[in-house]
């Protein structure tokens, strides 16, 4: 339990970022929804169109809505220039504001249509102008209903904001995603408790304002507003108080343990060299790569096979070294991204089965698997079955499985053990392959490309000689055994390490 | 009828149609300063619509309305409405404002806040206790609410008072008392008053002049005395017959 409280109280930064993101999104939602509601109250067509659009947005899963803003903002760079951020705060803000729109808009429109027509006629009859009627009669009478909408929006937004972790915006989703990855339930629980607690507090304060409006008690609504403002100001202070963001190096990590550990390993080295460091963790694979190219993050560990098949859309397999050389050139030419070098290990995709099962059935490689496949369930991470590598392997060996199932990388191994999947798309550097007594099936046709771990630097970071010098020693320094051991130390069920500690132990073992 | 003549209000060929339906059909009419006019008719006869053309809560389809010699269509709207006191059928008190805030709204809109003394005076005029001023509308009875409605209409010191079924929702006792009260205020402030009602008895008892509307037209324009003596035509007499029969029956019963 002490671990839980320690983790919870260590979430101050994430909480502050979460509060700022959610309150900015709700504020933007209000700014858009209220004039729209006034317009809608004067025109049936506007009301229908606005409510229809807001309802449509609501049907898009929040996670997808957040992800969609990356390509949208990327294409908008044609208009606004390359300074437009495509990851982090801006896309999260826009997506969450759209999400907050519906409850505010719907309540505001309903409040307007439910106003007593006799009272509105009286407002005209005593000589109020349009704006006087709005300010003196319609606004105060609608306020409690609008506040109820804002309350709903606040609770939704605070919950959905946890998903903004996936597009590189720090939030209370960070511990949830990191914890889910490593089955560190303390971390997940701390993130959930903090997020839910924040939602409850916001709901109570906004409820106080609503009650103050409804019963016309100034002390209620003014008190609620002051408390909300104080909370947001405290978050602002915590976030920006006395910190210089100029020289901060942003290190990206995709959503699996190895990425978290390597990000910390790089981060610790940079900190020791005097850099300020920030992490953007839990990013999707494609988003992470584009983020380096666009400069939204400065450093990322990526994998040659991933870039080869996903970014370069290549289907051939020229061999490990030729592929690496081609990628270095391609990165340099297309985005000016710099490949610093290979870390020394591969984290390839491979099909893993339980070793005992493989021996019983005499299955040694993927071509042996093809005949058993129709009776088997294959599990993969959420990206796996969409990736060109999987399609290439499937077609090369003519694999037809009874079913495919998606699991988060962590649960994939549990699924194999519990029989919910018979074969999984595993990662070769994963510590659980040895620990769970799994076998990676050979790939005699070379359908999976090689996956050398490489350090990618954004165009700007690639020009910094001190940074290059600081990271240079990592090249060729990590072999697959060390990586597996480090991965297992955070993935195992007993006595698991935090990412920082795992990174420190890895650094010590490889001689830093 | 000692008031100075000259129309304070004049309707010239005023028509209001909703599609093919004429709610008001070519009404021409002059109302002199100081008159207390009752506009009587069945539901849908167009009486409320005609009344609302005066302060442009309804814009006429054709024709002009002149108030104190000026075409209301060219008068700035808020200013016009502040000069015309209006008592609403639905009472229409602002539920989020106290009694005194409701009463003071018209002067407030004109940028001349009403003094506390003046609020007290207006409350007294409509026979409400001074301590009512801080009450909210939902703490009042229906009769008290419409008294506040009348005080609100008078607060801007209008020359013209329009009342749309002002006592329709009140119980008979309150109705009678408030009617009498309004009649006295009319006299005291030299108002010109137009009251829309469907109750001929109320019209006969309060007004100097009774206009009967039917199908958007004015079908009778008589004094109460003349109506009781049989003038005004078939429709007007049909309306007068009801209270007359009731009065005669009551008179026989008390004999």
């Amino acid at each position: 339990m002490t671990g839980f409280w320690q983790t919870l109280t260590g979430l101050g930064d994430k909480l502050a970022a979460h509060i700022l993101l959610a309150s900015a999104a709700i504020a933007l939602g209000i700014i858009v929804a209220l004039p729209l509601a006034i317009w809608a109250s004067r025109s049936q067509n506007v009301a229908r169109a606005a409510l229809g659009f807001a309802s449509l947005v609501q049907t898009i899963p929040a996670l997808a809505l957040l992800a969609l803003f990356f390509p949208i903002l990327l294409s908008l760079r044609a208009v606004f220039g390359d300074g437009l951020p495509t990851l982090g705060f801006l896309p999260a803000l826009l997506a969450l504001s759209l999400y907050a729109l519906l409850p505010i808009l719907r309540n505001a429109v309903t409040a307007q249509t439910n106003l007593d027509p006799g009272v509105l006629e009286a407002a005209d009859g005593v000589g109020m102008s349009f704006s006087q009627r709005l300010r003196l009669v319609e606004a105060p009478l609608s306020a409690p209903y609008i506040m109820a909408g804002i309350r709903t929006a606040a609770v939704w937004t605070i919950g959905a904001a946890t998903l903004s972790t996936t597009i590189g915006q720090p939030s209370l989703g960070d511990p949830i995603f990191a914890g889910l990855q490593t089955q560190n339930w303390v971390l997940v629980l701390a993130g959930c408790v903090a997020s839910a607690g924040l939602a409850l507090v916001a709901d109570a304060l906004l409820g106080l304002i609503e009650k103050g409006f409804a019963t016309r008690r100034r002390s209620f609504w003014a008190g609620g507003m002051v408390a909300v403002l104080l909370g947001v100001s405290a978050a602002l202070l915590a976030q920006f108080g006395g910190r210089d963001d100029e020289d901060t190096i942003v290190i990206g990590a995709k959503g699996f343990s190895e990425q978290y550990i390597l990000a910390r390993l790089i981060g610790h080295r940079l900190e020791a060299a005097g850099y300020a460091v920030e992490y953007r963790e839990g990013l999707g694979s494609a988003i992470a790569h584009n983020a380096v190219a666009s400069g939204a993050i400065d450093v990322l560990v990526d994998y040659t096979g991933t870039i080869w098949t996903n970014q370069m859309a290549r289907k051939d397999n020229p061999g490990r070294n030729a592929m690496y050389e081609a990628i270095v050139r391609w990165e340099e030419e297309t985005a000016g991204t710099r490949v610093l070098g290979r870390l020394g290990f591969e984290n390839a995709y491979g099909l893993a089965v339980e070793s005992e099962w493989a021996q019983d059935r005499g299955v040694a490689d993927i071509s042996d698997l093809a005949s058993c496949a129709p009776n088997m369930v294959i599990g993969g991470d959420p990206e796996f079955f969409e990736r060109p590598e999987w399609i290439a392997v499937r077609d090369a060996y003519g694999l037809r499985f009874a079913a495919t199932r998606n699991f988060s990388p962590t649960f994939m191994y549990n699924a194999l053990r519990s029989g919910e999947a018979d074969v999984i798309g595993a990662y070769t550097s994963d510590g659980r392959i040895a620990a769970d007594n799994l076998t990676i099936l050979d790939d005699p046709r070379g359908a999976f490309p090689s996956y050398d771990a490489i350090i990618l630097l954004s165009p700007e970071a690639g020009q910094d000689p001190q940074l290059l010098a600081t990271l240079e020693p990592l090249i060729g320094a990590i072999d697959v055994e060390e990586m597996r051991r480090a991965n297992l130390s955070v993935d195992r069920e007993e006595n698991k390490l935090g990412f920082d500690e795992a990174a420190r132990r890895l650094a010590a073992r490889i001689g830093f | 009828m000692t008031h100075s003549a000259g129309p304070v209000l004049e309707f010239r060929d005023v028509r209001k149609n909703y599609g093919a339906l004429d709610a008001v059909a070519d009404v021409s009419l002059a109302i002199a300063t100081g008159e207390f006019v009752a506009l009587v008719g069945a539901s849908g006869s167009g009486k409320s619509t005609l009344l609302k053309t005066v302060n442009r809560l309804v814009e006429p389809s054709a024709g002009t309305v002149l108030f104190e010699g000026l075409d209301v269509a060219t008068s700035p709207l808020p200013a016009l409405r502040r000069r015309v006191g209006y008592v609403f059928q639905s009472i229409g008190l602002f539920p989020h404002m106290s009694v005194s805030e409701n009463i003071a709204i018209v002067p407030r809109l004109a940028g001349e806040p009403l003094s506390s003394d003046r609020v007290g005076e207006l409350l007294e005029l409509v026979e409400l206790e001074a301590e009512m001023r801080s009450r909210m509308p939902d703490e009042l009875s229906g009769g008290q609410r419409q008294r506040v409605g009348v005080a609100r209409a008078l607060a801007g010191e209008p020359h013209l008072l329009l009342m749309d079924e002002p006592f329709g929702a009140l119980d008979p006792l309150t109705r009678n008392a408030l009617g009498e009260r309004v009649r006295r205020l009319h006299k005291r402030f030299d108002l010109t008053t137009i009251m829309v009602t469907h109750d001929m008895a109320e019209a006969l008892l309060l007004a100097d002049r009774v206009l009967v509307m039917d199908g958007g037209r004015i079908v009778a324009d008589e004094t109460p005395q003349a109506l009781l003596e049989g003038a005004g035509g078939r429709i007007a007499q049909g309306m007068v017959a009801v209270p007359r029969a009731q009065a005669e029956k009551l008179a026989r019963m008390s004999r």
Side-chain angles (χ1 to χ4, degrees), chain B residues 166-246:
Chain B
F167 316 128
L170 307 181
D171 69 83
L173 279 178
T174 312
R175 188 180 178 129
N176 191 48
L178 193 50
E180 293 295 333
R181 190 75 215 167
V182 166
R183 175 73 223 199
R184 283 204 294 280
L185 292 171
H186 164 83
K187 202 160 198 163
R188 174 163 166 191
F189 293 111
D190 283 332
L191 293 170
T192 305
T193 303
I194 308 178
M195 174 179 73
V196 163
T197 177
H198 58 262
D199 182 346
M200 181 55 93
E202 189 172 76
L204 292 170
L205 290 168
L206 291 179
D208 311 320
R209 178 178 174 191
V210 178
L211 303 174
V212 179
M213 277 191 86
D214 185 63
R217 287 166 207 287
I218 301 217
V219 294
D221 180 356
E222 302 290 345
T223 62
Q225 195 60 41
L227 279 173
L228 288 171
E229 286 163 3
R234 185 181 55 83
I235 293 167
Q237 282 307 310
M239 290 177 164
V240 173
V242 178
R244 177 187 279 136
Q246 288 173 336

Side-chain angles (χ1 to χ4, degrees), chain A residues 134-275:
Chain A
L134 196 63
R135 184 166 53 84
L136 297 174
V137 178
E138 291 176 80
L141 290 180
S142 301
Y145 303 97
I146 294 173
M147 269 321 292
I150 292 173
R151 249 174 104 179
T152 309
V155 172
W156 286 6
T157 306
I158 289 169
T162 54
L163 299 170
S164 60
T165 293
T166 55
I167 54 167
Q169 164 62 26
S171 74
L172 289 171
D174 292 11
I176 298 176
F177 278 89
L180 205 57
Q181 170 54 36
T182 56
Q183 300 199 5
N184 184 338
W185 305 125
V186 169
L187 219 48
V188 175
L189 196 64
C192 291
V193 165
S195 166
L198 179 60
L200 287 176
V201 169
D203 189 53
L205 290 179
L206 296 174
L208 194 66
I209 299 175
E210 180 190 338
K211 196 170 175 196
F213 281 151
T215 58
R216 292 180 262 283
R217 265 182 286 188
R218 193 196 184 90
S219 57
F220 276 34
W221 62 256
M225 279 184 186
V226 166
V228 168
L229 281 178
L230 280 178
V232 174
S233 311
L236 266 172
L237 203 67
Q239 195 75 344
F240 298 111
R243 203 173 47 165
D244 182 12
D245 270 350
E246 269 305 292
D247 287 329
T248 302
I249 298 293
V250 181
I251 303 169
K254 306 182 196 188
F256 49 93
S257 307
E258 178 174 297
Q259 286 273 317
Y260 287 92
I261 297 168
L262 291 174
R264 302 297 165 122
L265 180 70
I266 292 168
H268 294 163
R269 280 195 72 78
L270 288 173
E271 277 172 341
Y275 285 94

Side-chain angles (χ1 to χ4, degrees), chain B residues 117-137:
Chain B
D117 287 353
R118 177 83 177 119
V119 172
E121 224 174 277
L122 285 160
L123 282 172
E124 207 181 310
L125 286 178
V126 294
E127 297 174 310
L128 285 177
E129 315 280 324
E131 61 263 28
M132 290 277 187
R133 64 172 66 216
S134 54
R135 298 263 182 98
M136 299 305 283

Side-chain angles (χ1 to χ4, degrees), chain B residues 25-251:
Chain B
D26 299 316
V27 168
S28 291
L29 183 69
I31 291 167
T33 306
E35 280 190 300
F36 194 121
V37 179
L39 199 51
V40 191
S43 300
S45 61
K47 53 193 193 302
S48 278
T49 308
L50 182 65
L51 186 77
K52 287 175 182 173
T53 62
V54 176
N55 67 353
R56 288 171 59 198
L57 285 174
V58 167
E59 299 279 358
S61 311
T64 38
V65 180
L66 299 173
F67 171 48
E68 295 182 332
L70 296 173
D71 185 351
V72 297
T74 59
S75 308
L77 201 52
L80 169 73
R81 289 178 183 162
R82 285 170 207 161
R83 291 205 325 259
V84 179
Y86 200 102
V87 179
F88 298 86
Q89 178 175 16
S90 56
I91 302 175
L93 294 188
F94 302 119
H96 57 300
M97 295 183 189
S98 69
V99 165
S100 68
E101 285 171 323
N102 264 289
I103 291 176
I105 191 72
V106 173
R108 176 181 166 193
L109 294 173
E112 299 154 7
L114 210 56
S115 72
S116 168
D117 287 353
R118 177 83 177 119
V119 172
E121 224 174 277
L122 285 160
L123 282 172
E124 207 181 310
L125 286 178
V126 294
E127 297 174 310
L128 285 177
E129 315 280 324
E131 61 263 28
M132 290 277 187
R133 64 172 66 216
S134 54
R135 298 263 182 98
M136 299 305 283
D138 60 7
E139 298 170 300
L140 305 180
S141 71
Q144 290 171 327
R145 259 181 252 172
Q146 193 55 298
R147 285 173 195 271
V148 176
V150 172
R152 179 173 69 178
L154 294 177
E157 299 181 26
H159 299 170
L160 180 63
L161 181 63
L162 306 179
M163 300 195 288
D164 186 6
E165 304 264 12
F167 316 128
L170 307 181
D171 69 83
L173 279 178
T174 312
R175 188 180 178 129
N176 191 48
L178 193 50
E180 293 295 333
R181 190 75 215 167
V182 166
R183 175 73 223 199
R184 283 204 294 280
L185 292 171
H186 164 83
K187 202 160 198 163
R188 174 163 166 191
F189 293 111
D190 283 332
L191 293 170
T192 305
T193 303
I194 308 178
M195 174 179 73
V196 163
T197 177
H198 58 262
D199 182 346
M200 181 55 93
E202 189 172 76
L204 292 170
L205 290 168
L206 291 179
D208 311 320
R209 178 178 174 191
V210 178
L211 303 174
V212 179
M213 277 191 86
D214 185 63
R217 287 166 207 287
I218 301 217
V219 294
D221 180 356
E222 302 290 345
T223 62
Q225 195 60 41
L227 279 173
L228 288 171
E229 286 163 3
R234 185 181 55 83
I235 293 167
Q237 282 307 310
M239 290 177 164
V240 173
V242 178
R244 177 187 279 136
Q246 288 173 336
E248 283 168 359
K249 194 168 176 189
L250 288 172

Side-chain angles (χ1 to χ4, degrees), chain A residues 442-505:
Chain A
D442 286 342
D443 175 17
R445 297 184 197 166
F448 278 120
S450 55
Y451 286 85
D452 276 311
I454 57 173
I455 296 183
L456 273 182
L457 301 174
S458 70
E460 197 190 338
Q463 306 293 324
D464 180 345
Q466 196 201 339
L467 185 139
L468 296 178
T470 310
L471 298 184
E472 202 80 56
L474 290 173
I475 301 308
I478 306 171
D479 67 22
V480 73
E481 287 308 321
E482 290 300 346
M483 196 66 241
R484 278 185 185 162
R485 189 201 282 230
N487 286 339
L488 188 63
S489 72
V490 298
D491 288 336
R492 66 189 169 208
E493 309 221 328
E494 304 290 318
N495 192 23
K496 53 175 67 204
L497 300 180
F499 298 127
D500 278 311
E501 182 56 26
R504 260 182 230 111
R505 292 196 187 180

